[in-house]
């Protein structure tokens, strides 16, 4: 059904100890995760909530934010080296081909990375991009670079946060967990704060957890999930295939041709000026 020119086995290939000269993109990716896994802790995430969740930084339409992604290249992604807006349209069009009647799903594919606007407002990329994970509990072995990048994270030495459940309880639900800060959580929060957003729960779950690879791909953290999380997991997994396997630096979409259709979806599900 979905075709790609890049072998699927080549996606998400993370190199341990890459060198600057021989593998510059791999080195960039490793450095981003090294910084992320050093600084993403309970205190940092709470500080970011205080900074960003007043939604008082800028007011823009969803498409205006999407256009700003022309200035963002994800430094955590080993698979692409082009502006994020192309990935947005590739993901959306991949979903549209397979699920032609679920237009909210097309829109989610288009906007899922719009939280990366954070990178244009003085946020380092390690606080914007990359795989996410809960803070305040034991770090999963399924987190990328788990063995080589967490040694300086302050939560490792916290007697509560370093335990399996940490500050949570079994099956408390992901909604009660404090996720590492980045574009997923930020866009989710922006949308639920926007009074005219009508994206269904399935779409909001995809937006919030599409980078939570230790969960939707690694099958970890199920001990924190409640029944709703388990139901929604299937939708996140459906989306993940398009998020990952539609990437192709050599077959970029014609954005101007596609723009009218997606503007109509934005008007339907996320109309108007949005507070960011």
């Amino acid at each position: 059904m979905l075709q790609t020119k890049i072998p699927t086995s080549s996606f998400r290939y993370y190199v341990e100890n890459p060198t600057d000269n021989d593998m510059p993109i791999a080195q960039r990716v490793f450095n981003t995760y090294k910084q992320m896994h050093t600084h993403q802790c309970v205190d940092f995430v709470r500080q970011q909530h205080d900074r960003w969740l007043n939604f008082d930084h800028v007011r823009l339409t969803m498409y205006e934010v999407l256009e700003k992604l022309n200035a963002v290249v994800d430094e955590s992604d080993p698979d692409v080296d082009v502006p994020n807006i192309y990935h947005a349209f590739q993901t959306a069009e991949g979903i549209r081909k397979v699920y032609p009647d679920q237009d909210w799903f097309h829109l989610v594919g288009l906007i899922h990375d719009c939280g990366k606007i954070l990178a244009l407002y003085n946020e380092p990329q390690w606080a914007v991009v990359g795989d996410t994970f809960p803070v305040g509990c034991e770090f999963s072995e399924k987190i990328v670079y788990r063995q080589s990048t967490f040694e300086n994270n302050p939560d490792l030495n916290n007697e509560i946060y370093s335990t399996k459940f940490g500050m949570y309880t079994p099956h408390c639900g992901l909604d009660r967990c404090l996720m590492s800060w980045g574009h997923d959580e930020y866009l989710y929060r922006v949308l639920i704060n926007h009074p005219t957003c009508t994206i269904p729960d399935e779409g909001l779950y995809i937006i919030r957890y599409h980078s939570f690879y230790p969960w939707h791909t690694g099958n970890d953290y199920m001990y924190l999930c409640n029944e709703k999380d388990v139901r929604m997991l299937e939708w996140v997994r459906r989306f993940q295939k398009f998020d990952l396997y539609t990437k192709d630096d050599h077959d970029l979409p014609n954005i101007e041709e596609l723009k009218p259709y997606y503007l109509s979806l934005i008007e339907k599900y996320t109309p108007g000026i949005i507070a960011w």
Side-chain angles (χ1 to χ4, degrees):
M1 293 175 16
L2 184 65
Q3 300 295 320
T4 178
K5 296 178 181 179
I6 305 174
T8 58
S9 60
S10 68
F11 286 100
R12 287 182 59 84
Y13 178 64
Y14 294 96
V15 180
E16 291 283 355
N17 302 314
T19 61
D20 285 316
N21 293 334
D22 297 334
M23 311 180 80
I25 293 178
Q27 183 65 56
R28 182 190 72 189
V29 171
F30 179 83
N31 290 343
T32 300
Y33 275 105
K34 177 72 172 178
Q35 291 296 310
M36 178 196 303
H37 295 164
T38 297
H39 299 291
Q40 290 273 7
C41 61
V42 170
D43 287 347
F44 173 77
V45 173
R46 286 173 173 165
Q47 290 168 13
Q48 292 297 88
H49 283 205
D50 290 341
R51 179 180 180 188
W52 287 102
L53 299 187
N54 293 315
F55 311 108
D56 56 2
H57 287 78
V58 66
R59 296 175 65 83
L60 296 166
T61 67
M62 187 62 74
Y63 200 83
E64 287 173 329
V65 171
L66 191 68
E67 289 183 314
K68 285 183 176 291
L69 296 186
N70 268 316
V72 178
V73 175
D74 188 331
E75 295 180 0
S76 73
D77 194 335
D79 302 319
V80 294
D81 197 32
V82 296
N84 216 110
I85 192 170
Y86 290 106
H87 170 58
F89 277 93
Q90 286 172 332
T91 305
E93 283 295 283
I95 293 170
R96 185 180 176 188
K97 290 175 183 175
V98 179
Y99 297 94
D101 300 326
Q102 292 173 294
D103 61 355
W104 64 266
F105 202 7
H106 312 166
L107 180 65
V108 167
L110 184 75
I111 70 172
H112 71 281
D113 278 343
C114 280
K116 291 180 182 178
I117 190 178
L118 289 167
L120 304 180
Y121 290 87
N122 299 316
E123 285 294 332
Q125 286 227 1
W126 58 261
V128 178
V129 302
D131 294 3
T132 59
F133 50 89
V135 297
C137 63
E138 181 179 72
F139 298 122
S140 167
E141 294 298 322
K142 299 295 181 66
I143 299 173
V144 65
Y145 294 126
R146 171 64 181 88
Q147 293 301 317
S148 56
T149 56
F150 275 94
E151 65 270 17
N152 294 319
N153 188 296
D155 287 355
L156 280 182
N157 298 317
N158 184 289
E159 63 181 13
I160 295 175
Y161 303 158
S162 59
T163 62
K164 179 177 179 177
F165 291 102
M167 61 185 188
Y168 311 116
T169 55
H171 303 294
C172 60
L174 295 180
D175 187 57
R176 293 181 176 271
C177 296
L178 200 61
M179 298 297 294
S180 57
W181 178 254
H183 69 281
D184 304 55
E185 184 70 17
Y186 179 55
L187 179 58
Y188 167 76
R189 296 295 191 105
V190 165
L191 290 173
I192 63 173
N193 182 65
H194 186 51
T196 55
C197 175
T198 56
I199 295 174
D201 276 353
E202 292 85 352
L204 294 174
Y205 250 75
I206 290 167
I207 287 166
R208 193 176 194 184
Y209 299 117
H210 70 272
S211 299
F212 189 12
Y213 273 84
W215 175 55
H216 63 63
T217 301
N219 297 309
D220 209 346
Y221 293 107
M222 296 303 296
Y223 48 85
L224 295 177
C225 295
N226 60 22
E227 292 181 1
K228 183 176 182 180
D229 297 327
V230 174
R231 291 199 309 273
M232 292 294 180
L233 178 56
E234 178 56 32
W235 276 104
V236 180
R237 285 175 171 165
R238 289 181 194 179
F239 172 81
Q240 181 267 336
K241 298 172 186 176
F242 298 97
D243 189 19
L244 189 58
Y245 299 137
T246 58
K247 296 175 182 177
D248 188 344
D249 291 1
H250 305 291
D251 186 18
L252 299 178
N254 187 323
I255 292 174
E256 288 305 309
E257 286 185 2
L258 298 171
K259 183 176 177 179
Y261 173 70
Y262 287 101
L263 282 175
S264 72
L265 298 188
I266 288 172
E267 182 61 27
K268 180 176 179 179
Y269 290 104
T270 58
I273 305 295
I274 301 173
W276 298 82

